Amino acid sequence: MSDRWDPAGFKDRIDALLDDFLTGEAEQLLAIDDALQPVAEQLQVAARHGKRLRAAFCYWGWRAAGQPDSDALMRAAASMELVHAAAIVHDDIIDDSPLRHHLPTVHVSLQAALTGRPQARAAARSLAMLVGDHLMALAGQLFAASGLPGAYLARARPMWAELARELIAGECLEILSTGAHPDPDVSLKVVRYKTAKYTVEQPLLIGALLAGASPELRAALSAYGLPLGEAFQLRDDLLGLFGEPERTGKASLDDIRGHRPTALLAMTWQAALPAQRERLAGVLGRRDLDEKHLRDVRELMVAVKAPEQVENMIASRVREAVGRLGGLDTSQQARRALTALAHSATDRRN
């Protein structure tokens, strides 16, 4: 890779690595039994999409510590995308989401393999859960077999354990909070542990640990990564309800139907007058919502300026993150790349 940060070229490298790795894994599944074809196919499909931000943050954690471009590091960075794929498969099952990247989600797609079977929907969800589990196991396998020296990998293993623990904790907190009284503090904690840390901060720190970064550099990367990860998920909250489905690839009413503890909903509830809260409470958790309900919820949120408040939260976190880069003890190239990543992670429409 040249000194100039090339996001498209980086994504192509990660895509190729994952395609080769998962094609090999699919072949091994099919060697067991041809009946596993739908599972093998979804294993590949689940990891086929995405901006590869998590891999990019891992890569620049490594480069920020002064290490050169490395094929072995690229394989380790690609494992971050398998963690993400596993989290998405599980999240879509939990939320019963029908679409992801304009395609049926894994648990929906697998119903076709069970047509005519008793309890086909439940069986498809079970298969999808196992696909997600296997993707998480494969992430660890790809990381361990990346080709990096064992001593390098040993430095990062504790952060791997922390990533897994906090990702699960965040998902559990969201489930425990779903349907409850909207609370901004709870919503922001879910944002931090379910998405923010494993999207930016922890991949950065894993790359830095692999590279042997100093505690001071790791602390500076963490100070950049955590607010940026929160800004990333806050943007997702906004896009989930105000984005265009043609761009986001997801249904706009999912968060309202699911009564999920998003920051956008919590800010709306906090700012709403009693009559507005009553209107909002009347749609939360309903499965029969349509475009009129979507327009009504959007109008209510705009009226209490909740989207504006979330936009301000995003902007302040991006400023905080980018501001930390000035004092980072690293190359100008790494600062430029991390600045570009901060904006591409949060200035987006999908």
Side-chain angles (χ1 to χ4, degrees), residues 72-205:
L73 188 279
M74 287 292 290
R75 287 189 287 274
S79 71
M80 300 291 102
E81 297 299 328
L82 294 182
V83 171
H84 179 49
I88 281 176
V89 172
H90 287 149
D91 199 46
D92 286 342
I93 297 168
I94 292 164
D95 293 340
D96 201 18
S97 297
L99 290 174
R100 174 78 64 171
H101 301 296
H102 306 283
L103 298 170
T105 47
V106 172
H107 67 279
V108 173
S109 294
L110 284 167
Q111 289 183 43
L114 297 158
T115 302
R117 308 283 182 86
Q119 299 183 315
R121 184 174 182 275
R125 292 170 68 87
S126 297
L127 285 175
M129 178 182 67
L130 294 169
V131 168
D133 290 348
H134 194 38
L135 283 165
M136 194 65 163
L138 289 173
Q141 179 183 325
L142 181 57
F143 183 80
S146 62
L148 289 169
Y152 288 28
L153 297 173
R155 292 194 293 247
R157 282 198 189 103
M159 183 55 62
W160 253 97
E162 185 174 316
L163 181 155
R165 180 189 311 113
E166 293 185 346
L167 173 56
I168 294 299
E171 190 72 72
C172 290
L173 283 172
E174 183 179 62
I175 294 168
L176 291 165
S177 306
T178 293
H181 181 80
D183 183 318
D185 291 338
V186 171
S187 295
L188 288 173
K189 180 169 271 192
V190 170
V191 162
R192 174 169 289 197
Y193 286 97
K194 184 190 169 192
T195 305
K197 291 174 77 68
Y198 98 89
T199 296
V200 184
E201 182 198 27
Q202 288 161 337
L204 268 172
L205 291 177

Side-chain angles (χ1 to χ4, degrees), residues 278-309:
E278 187 176 347
R279 282 172 55 200
L280 190 56
V283 297
L284 291 174
R286 281 176 53 177
R287 308 302 295 177
D288 61 342
L289 302 181
D290 56 25
E291 289 300 310
K292 181 182 182 304
H293 294 111
L294 177 61
R295 288 194 300 272
D296 289 346
V297 170
R298 285 174 171 173
E299 287 173 6
L300 192 158
M301 288 181 165
V302 170
V304 301
K305 299 185 177 180
E308 182 180 327
Q309 187 175 358

